[in-house]
Amino acid sequence: MSQILDGRALARDLRVQIKREVKAMVAAGGPRPKLAVILAGEDPASAVYVRNKEKMAARVGIDAVTLRLPADVPAAALMAEIDRLNADPSVHGILLQLPLPQGISAEEEIALLERVDPRKDVDGFHPDNLGLLMAGRPRFVACTPQGCMRLLEAGGVPLAGRQAVVIGRSLIVGKPIAQLLLAADATVTICHSRTQALAEIVRQADIVIAAVGRPGLVGGDWIKPGAAVIDVGVNSVEGALVGDVDFEAAASRAGWITPVPGGVGPMTIACLLENTRQAALRARPAP
Ligand code: NAD
């Protein structure tokens, strides 16, 4: 039976550490970290995520403010909000909650993400931050990939020289996690919607990262005995949350596996808090 990589417990430990460090920073006369979240529209899942972020921020002594904007907000108004937050020295981290409302085009979304001051980009989605990661000098690492790496590390999963297979090539999960695994000396294969013979590739993997958003995509018999399986997928099936991996079957073969829920999800929020603390630490003092 595999070792469960418990994201709830690990996130709790990380929050305890962040709370201690925030307290020490404020006691030493430093700023209290402040996160600004822009939430446009009424996507129910986003509303839950944002509430969780506010709740967790408060627990560690980080101020979190959420700007709630209507679903028909024009891109120009979002741009203006980002500019205002960029210029506000009391704000250390800015997060534009995705997905944006349907009225915002893909091009506008890219422009908005690029408008966030890269030194306040606690999501790590700005091209400057993605580029620094690629260059081996990471500044803000995207929260979900960072959470995956912390889970692997906590489980003591060996990475150097091992075969890692990442399923999914998005800019916010698949590509950055592949980069982090590469930096940890794994041999990395990235698979995606056009990959052929996915099962055969996954069967070679010592580390499997599933980040697609399709329930049951990864069959239990795809898992090499003893492999580490990180399930990033979040899917709602008949009212229940499930990942991309057939958990029961995979758990009977894997060496390590993350549950859904309770695996990557809690780590994503904890890493956001850590990025916000780091942003405050690096912020130039207000003139
Ligand atoms: P995305 O839609 O941007 O990317 C999905 C990727 O899957 C694409 O690169 C696509 O090429 C690939 N893909 C699609 N069908 C495939 C197939 N049949 N075989 C192989 N690859 C296929 O999604 P995303 O934003 O990267 O998120 C992926 C999943 O992770 C979603 O379920 C999302 O909800 C979840 N997610 C979870 C967290 C968390 O904190 N737990 C954070 C971010 C995303």
Side-chain angles (χ1 to χ4, degrees), residues 35-59:
L35 171 69
V37 178
I38 301 176
L39 174 62
E42 267 118 44
D43 179 64
S46 293
V48 173
Y49 289 144
V50 168
R51 266 201 305 279
N52 270 336
K53 286 169 188 172
E54 289 169 337
K55 195 170 80 183
M56 295 300 171
R59 279 193 198 171

Side-chain angles (χ1 to χ4, degrees), residues 144 167-170 172-173 192-193 198 211-214 232-234 265 268:
T144 300
I167 319 173
R169 58 175 160 183
S170 73
I172 64 176
V173 188
H192 47 80
S193 53
L198 180 63
V212 174
R214 280 189 54 180
V232 182
V234 178
T268 297

